[in-house]
């Protein structure tokens, strides 16, 4: 992976994490928002893999994808799907 592309992926994940944290602080329910966002992201990864039989798109289930989906939520899963489609 080239240096600029790697920087772009890391920067976009950092921005997604920052947005999740800021929105959680603004609602005054930080921990419940973070936990629900993590569960939603992990559920989205498993939903993408379950629908992979129909669509032909699979995300590998390893520590990195689970951590990214737990930290970034659904935007991180969408980002992984977009990068998977672009680099197929």
């Amino acid at each position: 992976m080239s240096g600029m592309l790697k920087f772009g992926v890391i920067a976009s994940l950092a921005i997604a994490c920052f947005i999740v944290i800021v929105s959680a602080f603004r609602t005054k329910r930080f921990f419940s928002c973070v936990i629900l966002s993590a569960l939603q992201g992990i559920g989205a990864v498993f939903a993408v893999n379950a629908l992979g039989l129909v669509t032909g798109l699979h995300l590998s289930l390893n520590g990195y994808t689970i951590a990214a989906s737990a930290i970034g939520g659904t935007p991180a899963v969408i980002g992984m799907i977009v990068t998977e489609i672009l680099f197929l």
Side-chain angles (χ1 to χ4, degrees):
M1 190 182 291
S2 70
M4 288 300 288
L5 182 63
K6 191 174 186 179
F7 176 75
V9 169
I10 292 172
S12 63
L13 285 176
I15 289 170
C17 291
F18 181 71
I19 289 171
V20 168
I21 289 172
V22 167
S23 65
F25 272 122
R26 293 185 81 189
T27 61
K28 306 284 191 233
R29 290 180 274 177
F30 178 73
F31 292 111
S32 64
C33 287
V34 169
I35 290 172
L36 289 176
S37 176
L39 290 175
Q40 184 179 10
I42 293 170
V45 168
F46 285 109
V48 166
N49 283 331
L51 291 174
L53 298 173
V54 177
T55 62
L57 179 71
H58 294 282
L59 295 174
S60 62
L61 290 177
N62 55 30
Y64 295 117
T65 57
I66 298 297
S69 65
I71 293 170
T74 305
V77 175
I78 292 171
M80 288 187 284
I81 291 171
V82 168
T83 56
E84 182 75 25
I85 290 171
L86 287 176
F87 293 114
L88 264 179

